[in-house]
Amino acid sequence: MIWFVLNPKSGTTSPAKRNKIIQAINKQANCKLILTEYAGHATEIAHQAVQQGISRVVAVGGDGTVNEVARGLVGSNTALGIIPIGSGNGLARHLNIPLKIDKAIQFAIQQPTAQIDACYLNEIPFFCTAGVGFDAFVANEFAQQDSRGLKTYAKMSLKSFRTYKPEAYVISHQGKDYAKMAFSITFANATQYGNNALISPKSKIDDGLIDLVVLKPFPFGAAPIIGVRLFRGTLPNSRYIDMEVSEDYVLKSEKPLLIHFDGEPLQLDTNEIRVYIKPKSLKVVAGVVE
């Protein structure tokens, strides 16, 4: 038995297209479709699936829905599948999951599984990227918009860029402390945020390591070049980028931190976070794992 978990409020698809997705799933043999009813419901469903020995739970939605389902499956023998209908689809893209719905459904049912790492930020699971700074600020602004999609995200990024100011952080790992002024700081398990924005193009999702990407303050005129590098996968070559690799980090700021995890914003009541990894603790339905 395979369970499909769909968040009716997730993603960028129209109601008509969402109904077609529901119909396509309902036609599949030995599959069950469950609609979520509130925040966190997908995680509860995933826990139930594990308890009942369900072989696969397929998240139908964006990166937020994928995160909710995945956090309920970590450490279990139940595999995560993805039907990507979100704004960015970062984890789906990294795992080489088809973006076309019909192909994604068959992929979720038939494709073999692999083991990937799960990462945590103060006990909050993430599977693609998490971080602080500009990216978290934009994620928070984006979450408050009525429309979704790349166009809206780009609009909010440009608007935020005009007012956002770099901040001071102290990052600790491997017994050393590093003071950083940063525009953004990303902890990467996978290569990208979504939409093929490759923040950490060399990241391996099953190597037991977290890639730290620090984007240092840069002049306004460098922004277009940084943007091009982001989508071409050459960002590490920029002089405004510092990168480290470790199994865990501690980050401190002068004020309570606004974070994002897999694109979801969250305002914390603490100025300190710990980021760590649980190697190969999540089974996923995937193409070639990189």
Side-chain angles (χ1 to χ4, degrees), residues 160-171:
S160 300
F161 182 75
R162 296 188 183 99
T163 59
Y164 184 79
K165 302 296 182 184
E167 297 186 19
Y169 303 93
V170 175
I171 303 169

Side-chain angles (χ1 to χ4, degrees), residues 44-157:
E44 295 175 9
I45 294 169
H47 282 308
Q48 293 170 8
V50 171
Q51 293 170 359
Q52 296 184 31
I54 301 301
S55 62
R56 300 181 179 195
V57 178
V58 182
V60 187
D63 290 328
T65 302
V66 171
N67 181 286
E68 277 202 21
V69 173
R71 66 172 60 198
L73 303 179
V74 172
S76 78
N77 199 42
T78 301
L80 167 73
I82 303 172
I83 307 298
I85 60 170
S87 300
N89 304 313
L91 187 58
R93 290 175 187 272
H94 185 102
L95 296 177
N96 294 299
I97 292 171
L99 299 182
K100 292 186 176 181
I101 301 302
D102 290 342
K103 289 184 178 180
I105 291 173
Q106 295 307 313
F107 189 95
I109 294 172
Q110 300 173 3
Q111 185 72 15
T113 62
Q115 296 288 142
I116 68 169
D117 302 334
C119 298
Y120 290 78
L121 187 159
N122 281 12
E123 312 305 321
I124 300 168
F126 69 94
F127 307 91
C128 216
T129 63
V132 299
F134 181 74
D135 303 323
F137 184 84
V138 173
N140 190 52
E141 294 294 309
F142 182 64
Q144 299 174 43
Q145 304 307 305
D146 294 330
S147 60
R148 309 292 284 178
L150 180 58
K151 184 177 180 180
T152 301
Y153 189 85
K155 180 180 178 180
M156 296 313 304
S157 295

Side-chain angles (χ1 to χ4, degrees), residues 246-265:
S246 183
E247 297 175 355
D248 61 81
Y249 303 88
V250 173
L251 179 146
K252 297 178 182 179
S253 176
E254 296 176 351
K255 61 183 181 181
L257 289 158
L258 173 65
I259 68 164
H260 77 86
F261 58 97
D262 290 341
E264 297 296 311

